Amino acid sequence: MNNFNFYSPTFFAFGKDTENDAGKLVRRFGGSKVLIHYGGGSVIRSGLLDRVKASLDSESIPYVLLGGVKPNPRSGLVYEGIELCKKENVDFVLAVGGGSSIDSAKAIAAGAVYDGDFWDFYSGKYIENALPIGTVLTISAAGSEGSPDSVITKEEGMFKRGATGDAIRPKFSILNPALTQTLPQYQTACGITDIMAHLYERYLTNTTEVEATDRMIEAHLLTMIHEGPRVIADPNNYAARANIMWAGMMAHNNSCGVGRSQDWNSHNIEHELSALYDCAHGAGLAVTMPAVFTYVMNHDVMRFAQIAVRVWGCQMDFACPENTAKAGIEALRSFLISIGMPKNFAELGAKEEDIDKLVDVLCNGNGRNGSISGFVTLDENDCRNIYKLMV
Ligand code: NZQ
Ligand code: ZN
């Protein structure tokens, strides 16, 4: 295991009706004027936004509203939010929604206290300062409720990049699993896929002797394999949704990823798909992961064989571990298809003729130099071959 620092000070309020504590928690973490930031309307239809507003009212905390965050959130609304915060002297940003609303809120919170263009953070500058952020989560997926990361799509060029900094870890996150019961089945499945991807991206490491974190990742993957089909069969299964919600947070607050190198090439390769086609991030990952894993498997076939045996219950083929590794990748692919995820470019809405464009933006866009690094460094040719495996 490598040396590491881990600082994860988010306060979690977990369980039924916890959204009614939003006002108290904003006060506890120093907010006196709030920007409530939300998406395309699900929180209005469900009545959640009204409950959050009532909770702030009961603490006499004033707020301004900015809705309209799209899935794969855009830079345009971030600029609008930054201006609004400055004009209204906002000192706390409260996201009510999914990863997109939370990521947009994080970008606004960082941009509101920065003199330059907030996009600097999405071009590699570490986020040192931000307004404090709180979240009321409505979908188990991105893990942004416990992560120091944010992903935004730049409208000029339609490419998607991430920013990071402990300053944008939420001060508090309200996790009420019942709020996810209104999700369409497809979005629930996209979330499960994203959570599994966050676990796989950490499992694929070049660091040796990482049994503690390996076992934590395996536990969360087994949870998703157990609870995923239950929640797809019965969207109102609170117990299954609760386990998925906590596993989703744990998958991405990096408690399972400390002290080890990580991959993130599946995410990098997927981000170009959701930026270009505006598909759901989880759906893109369902198509991307099996292709990437098949392509890089021989870099460390025993790692893929280990996850196949421990998580997917495959038999170890000692004479040919490659067979075991492949069986594990196929088990993942079948599981994702079984919960309703797409399996190829056509089902995702992606086009083979765009592959050169995808590769170019992936490997050369926004300061990259012809390759992406992770478990394996992949050059343009590798990335082209991986996209072709998805067709
Ligand atoms: O916009 P509304 O109307 O709220 O509808 C949303 C949206 O259409 C809907 N939804 C959310 N909760 C709902 C609901 N509908 C009914 N009932 C509910 N309870 O679901 C749709 C998807 O929402 P979104 O916020 O986009 O989902 P998700 O949480 O998957 O976030 C995806 C974004 O997170 C980024 C992705 O790239 C993508 O842009 N990621 C962020 C990460 C991070 N910050 O750490 C890491 C991830 O790997 C990921 O890249
Ligand atoms: Zn993700």
Side-chain angles (χ1 to χ4, degrees):
M1 200 190 292
N2 301 329
N3 291 1
F4 65 86
N5 295 314
F6 183 56
Y7 178 70
S8 177
T10 305
F11 178 99
F12 292 101
F14 190 98
K16 288 177 184 164
D17 302 326
T18 42
E19 64 272 20
N20 298 325
D21 293 338
K24 283 195 187 78
L25 288 168
V26 167
R27 183 162 303 294
R28 173 173 171 168
F29 290 99
S32 63
K33 176 85 184 271
V34 176
L35 171 71
I36 303 180
H37 197 39
Y38 58 95
S42 72
V43 300
I44 299 173
R45 289 189 294 279
S46 67
L48 173 62
L49 187 62
D50 281 341
R51 295 202 292 284
V52 169
K53 288 197 286 191
S55 172
L56 291 170
D57 288 339
S58 70
E59 291 292 317
S60 306
I61 299 173
Y63 50 81
V64 288
L65 297 164
L66 181 63
V69 181
K70 294 185 174 145
N72 307 314
R74 312 292 154 85
S75 49
L77 195 66
V78 173
Y79 289 112
E80 214 179 297
I82 292 169
E83 285 314 307
L84 188 59
C85 284
K86 288 181 176 165
K87 183 168 144 246
E88 296 284 342
N89 293 318
V90 162
D91 62 10
F92 198 99
V93 183
L94 180 61
V96 184
S100 295
S101 296
I102 299 173
D103 285 2
S104 185
K106 287 175 169 179
I108 291 170
V113 295
Y114 180 62
D115 284 339
D117 182 347
F118 92 91
W119 192 257
D120 292 349
F121 301 123
Y122 295 77
S123 309
K125 190 178 170 72
Y126 187 82
I127 302 176
E128 300 281 358
N129 292 308
L131 295 177
I133 299 151
T135 84
V136 182
L137 184 65
T138 62
I139 171 172
S140 308
S144 193
E145 66 277 12
S147 84
D149 308 312
S150 160
V151 184
I152 300 289
T153 298
K154 183 141 179 103
E155 277 146 320
E156 303 83 52
M158 287 308 279
F159 56 87
K160 206 174 183 188
R161 292 291 180 265
T164 194
D166 280 326
I168 57 167
R169 274 191 197 268
K171 297 290 176 232
F172 70 81
S173 282
I174 291 176
L175 272 51
N176 175 357
L179 297 177
T180 67
Q181 286 172 203
T182 53
L183 277 166
Q185 180 178 319
Y186 184 76
Q187 285 297 341
T188 297
C190 286
I192 290 166
T193 308
D194 193 19
I195 292 166
M196 294 176 81
H198 297 160
L199 295 162
Y200 262 92
E201 298 275 24
R202 292 181 165 88
Y203 206 82
L204 297 184
T205 184
N206 293 308
T207 312
T208 56
E209 301 290 351
V210 285
E211 187 71 359
T213 41
D214 269 1
R215 291 296 188 180
M216 285 171 70
I217 295 170
E218 290 159 11
H220 295 312
L221 279 170
L222 287 163
T223 302
M224 304 314 290
I225 294 165
H226 178 71
E227 301 292 23
R230 290 176 79 207
V231 86
I232 295 296
D234 176 10
N236 293 319
N237 187 331
Y238 177 88
R241 289 210 179 264
N243 281 305
I244 290 172
M245 192 168 240
W246 191 243
M249 196 294 295
M250 291 291 285
H252 201 46
N253 81 335
N254 211 29
S255 48
C256 307
V258 292
R260 52 196 288 152
S261 71
Q262 303 179 9
D263 187 4
W264 299 101
N265 276 340
S266 291
H267 267 68
N268 286 325
I269 290 170
E270 189 293 315
H271 279 161
E272 302 311 334
L273 297 173
S274 46
L276 188 60
Y277 304 110
D278 211 10
C279 57
H281 170 60
L285 285 167
V287 177
T288 305
M289 277 191 289
V292 173
F293 300 166
T294 302
Y295 195 80
V296 304
M297 188 184 78
N298 287 320
H299 174 67
D300 185 352
V301 81
M302 288 311 289
R303 184 134 279 273
F304 280 96
Q306 177 176 294
I307 201 167
V309 171
R310 290 182 178 182
V311 171
W312 295 105
C314 301
Q315 283 295 316
M316 184 66 199
D317 182 341
F318 289 100
C320 184
E322 200 176 338
N323 286 339
T324 313
K326 273 187 197 155
I329 297 169
E330 286 317 306
L332 170 67
R333 194 198 305 270
S334 302
F335 176 82
L336 297 175
I337 293 170
S338 78
I339 59 169
M341 285 289 90
K343 62 175 178 302
N344 55 29
F345 255 37
E347 289 185 11
L348 191 65
K351 298 194 191 94
E352 187 174 4
E353 57 266 33
D354 290 336
I355 287 180
D356 282 342
K357 184 163 136 194
L358 289 164
V359 169
D360 187 41
V361 183
L362 172 66
C363 295
N364 301 312
N366 219 31
R368 291 196 182 134
N369 286 320
S371 65
I372 52 171
S373 57
F375 183 55
V376 175
T377 296
L378 301 170
D379 64 18
E380 290 181 56
N381 196 37
D382 296 319
C383 293
R384 191 171 297 108
N385 290 335
I386 289 169
Y387 280 125
K388 282 186 180 160
L389 286 177
M390 302 183 208
V391 176

XYZ file of all heavy atoms in Angstrom, residues 59-94:
279
model
N -35.987 27.970 9.579
C -34.766 28.478 10.243
C -34.547 29.957 9.915
O -33.478 30.511 10.222
C -33.541 27.683 9.779
C -33.504 26.241 10.253
C -33.292 26.122 11.762
O -32.456 26.850 12.310
O -33.996 25.300 12.387
N -35.506 30.558 9.192
C -35.410 31.965 8.746
C -34.146 32.217 7.929
O -33.466 33.247 8.100
C -35.439 32.920 9.946
O -36.569 32.665 10.737
N -33.818 31.264 7.066
C -32.646 31.439 6.190
C -33.144 31.815 4.792
O -33.877 31.046 4.160
C -31.810 30.139 6.116
C -31.282 29.764 7.500
C -30.652 30.299 5.123
C -30.601 28.410 7.550
N -32.780 32.999 4.284
C -33.228 33.389 2.946
C -32.505 32.618 1.848
O -31.386 32.131 2.058
C -32.890 34.881 2.886
C -31.813 35.086 3.885
C -31.961 34.024 4.939
N -33.147 32.508 0.682
C -32.534 31.751 -0.418
C -32.951 32.345 -1.754
O -33.967 33.044 -1.856
C -32.940 30.269 -0.371
C -34.424 30.047 -0.234
C -35.267 30.113 -1.359
C -34.989 29.809 1.018
C -36.629 29.923 -1.227
C -36.353 29.622 1.151
C -37.177 29.675 0.023
O -38.527 29.507 0.156
N -32.126 32.044 -2.775
C -32.510 32.296 -4.166
C -32.484 30.948 -4.885
O -31.803 30.015 -4.433
C -31.563 33.304 -4.866
C -31.776 34.700 -4.337
C -30.096 32.890 -4.714
N -33.205 30.856 -5.987
C -33.365 29.570 -6.676
C -32.728 29.627 -8.055
O -32.826 30.639 -8.753
C -34.848 29.255 -6.858
C -35.663 29.062 -5.575
C -37.153 29.143 -5.889
C -35.332 27.710 -4.949
N -32.067 28.550 -8.442
C -31.618 28.416 -9.837
C -31.789 26.954 -10.245
O -31.054 26.071 -9.802
C -30.146 28.847 -9.990
C -29.580 28.767 -11.424
C -30.331 29.724 -12.369
C -28.085 29.082 -11.454
N -32.812 26.707 -11.082
C -33.059 25.358 -11.596
C -32.529 25.235 -13.014
O -31.835 26.114 -13.510
N -32.873 24.091 -13.631
C -32.542 23.918 -15.048
C -31.249 23.194 -15.329
O -30.793 23.177 -16.479
N -30.615 22.588 -14.304
C -29.388 21.823 -14.586
C -29.762 20.621 -15.446
O -30.693 19.877 -15.121
C -28.717 21.310 -13.289
C -27.436 20.546 -13.629
C -28.430 22.443 -12.332
N -29.042 20.435 -16.550
C -29.287 19.281 -17.419
C -28.377 18.141 -17.006
O -27.272 18.381 -16.506
C -28.963 19.648 -18.870
C -29.893 20.686 -19.436
C -29.585 20.896 -20.909
C -30.612 21.831 -21.505
N -30.069 22.711 -22.518
N -28.812 16.890 -17.258
C -27.855 15.781 -17.082
C -26.640 16.074 -17.966
O -26.807 16.610 -19.070
C -28.627 14.563 -17.600
C -30.072 14.948 -17.493
C -30.128 16.435 -17.723
N -25.443 15.735 -17.521
C -24.206 16.192 -18.174
C -24.191 17.732 -18.137
O -24.332 18.401 -19.162
C -24.076 15.687 -19.618
C -24.238 14.179 -19.694
O -23.651 13.453 -18.907
N -25.057 13.712 -20.618
N -24.062 18.304 -16.937
C -24.292 19.738 -16.733
C -23.344 20.623 -17.539
O -22.186 20.283 -17.750
C -24.055 19.921 -15.229
C -23.239 18.756 -14.812
C -23.618 17.629 -15.707
N -23.905 21.753 -17.958
C -23.201 22.635 -18.909
C -22.578 23.847 -18.218
O -23.097 24.346 -17.225
C -24.175 23.146 -19.973
C -25.051 22.104 -20.612
C -24.268 21.137 -21.489
N -24.960 19.854 -21.587
C -25.916 19.571 -22.453
N -26.298 20.462 -23.310
N -26.477 18.382 -22.455
N -21.536 24.362 -18.889
C -20.819 25.521 -18.355
C -21.696 26.777 -18.325
O -21.555 27.609 -17.430
C -19.552 25.782 -19.172
O -19.838 25.795 -20.558
N -22.627 26.920 -19.280
C -23.431 28.146 -19.377
C -24.185 28.444 -18.084
O -24.175 29.584 -17.595
N -24.829 27.429 -17.519
C -25.605 27.641 -16.291
C -24.683 27.908 -15.096
O -25.054 28.611 -14.156
C -26.506 26.425 -16.018
C -27.605 26.647 -14.988
C -28.638 27.671 -15.483
C -28.309 25.328 -14.641
N -23.460 27.366 -15.161
C -22.498 27.634 -14.081
C -22.167 29.130 -14.055
O -22.177 29.763 -12.983
C -21.210 26.789 -14.263
C -20.150 27.196 -13.247
C -21.526 25.293 -14.157
N -21.903 29.714 -15.233
C -21.600 31.155 -15.268
C -22.777 31.954 -14.697
O -22.595 32.901 -13.936
C -21.297 31.613 -16.701
C -19.964 31.116 -17.222
C -19.882 30.182 -18.248
C -18.762 31.578 -16.674
C -18.659 29.724 -18.721
C -17.532 31.124 -17.141
C -17.496 30.191 -18.170
O -16.280 29.734 -18.617
N -23.987 31.536 -15.063
C -25.181 32.219 -14.556
C -25.248 32.122 -13.025
O -25.536 33.111 -12.334
C -26.411 31.530 -15.155
C -27.572 32.438 -15.433
C -28.729 31.651 -16.049
O -28.578 31.100 -17.158
O -29.773 31.577 -15.393
N -24.977 30.938 -12.496
C -25.020 30.720 -11.047
C -23.969 31.542 -10.317
O -24.221 32.086 -9.233
N -22.788 31.655 -10.899
C -21.711 32.437 -10.267
C -22.145 33.912 -10.163
O -21.999 34.548 -9.102
C -20.395 32.297 -11.084
C -19.860 30.872 -10.968
C -19.354 33.325 -10.626
C -18.721 30.537 -11.928
N -22.706 34.431 -11.248
C -23.169 35.832 -11.240
C -24.247 36.039 -10.183
O -24.245 37.021 -9.444
C -23.715 36.231 -12.629
C -22.628 36.472 -13.654
C -21.488 37.324 -13.104
O -21.769 38.430 -12.577
O -20.320 36.881 -13.155
N -25.173 35.071 -10.118
C -26.269 35.179 -9.151
C -25.737 35.183 -7.714
O -26.177 35.983 -6.871
C -27.230 33.994 -9.377
C -28.543 33.987 -8.606
C -29.379 35.232 -8.917
C -29.353 32.718 -8.962
N -24.784 34.316 -7.435
C -24.209 34.258 -6.076
C -23.559 35.582 -5.709
O -23.698 36.061 -4.571
C -23.152 33.154 -5.987
S -23.856 31.520 -5.886
N -22.821 36.166 -6.679
C -22.133 37.435 -6.388
C -23.160 38.540 -6.162
O -23.056 39.315 -5.212
C -21.187 37.790 -7.540
C -19.966 36.877 -7.585
C -19.023 37.259 -8.717
C -17.771 36.403 -8.681
N -16.990 36.470 -9.917
N -24.160 38.600 -7.044
C -25.166 39.663 -6.963
C -25.973 39.575 -5.664
O -26.296 40.589 -5.044
C -26.093 39.525 -8.173
C -27.143 40.587 -8.297
C -27.822 40.528 -9.670
C -29.280 40.877 -9.530
N -30.220 39.856 -9.813
N -26.279 38.361 -5.244
C -27.185 38.167 -4.097
C -26.439 37.921 -2.783
O -27.049 37.591 -1.767
C -28.106 36.963 -4.359
C -29.043 37.146 -5.530
C -30.223 38.061 -5.195
O -30.510 38.270 -4.005
O -30.834 38.566 -6.152
N -25.107 38.028 -2.824
C -24.292 37.770 -1.619
C -24.582 36.407 -0.987
O -24.716 36.278 0.239
C -24.489 38.866 -0.563
C -23.936 40.180 -1.040
O -22.851 40.216 -1.628
N -24.684 41.248 -0.848
N -24.681 35.406 -1.831
C -24.913 34.042 -1.359
C -23.656 33.540 -0.647
O -22.531 33.764 -1.108
C -25.265 33.135 -2.571
C -25.082 31.676 -2.233
C -26.674 33.436 -3.062
N -23.843 32.839 0.486
C -22.670 32.283 1.184
C -22.787 30.766 1.394
O -21.994 30.174 2.124
C -22.411 33.008 2.511
C -23.568 32.866 3.495
O -24.482 32.051 3.238
O -23.559 33.575 4.520
N -23.774 30.127 0.749
C -23.917 28.665 0.867
C -24.666 28.165 -0.363
O -25.675 28.750 -0.748
C -24.705 28.299 2.139
C -24.532 26.864 2.556
C -23.634 26.518 3.558
C -25.247 25.843 1.926
C -23.459 25.186 3.931
C -25.078 24.510 2.289
C -24.178 24.182 3.300
N -24.158 27.083 -0.973
C -24.831 26.524 -2.161
C -25.402 25.159 -1.796
O -24.684 24.274 -1.324
C -23.851 26.392 -3.360
C -24.597 25.890 -4.600
C -23.171 27.724 -3.663
N -26.717 25.017 -2.003
C -27.410 23.768 -1.656
C -27.925 23.116 -2.941
O -28.809 23.663 -3.615
C -28.574 24.079 -0.708
C -29.407 22.889 -0.247
C -28.564 21.880 0.527
C -30.582 23.359 0.626
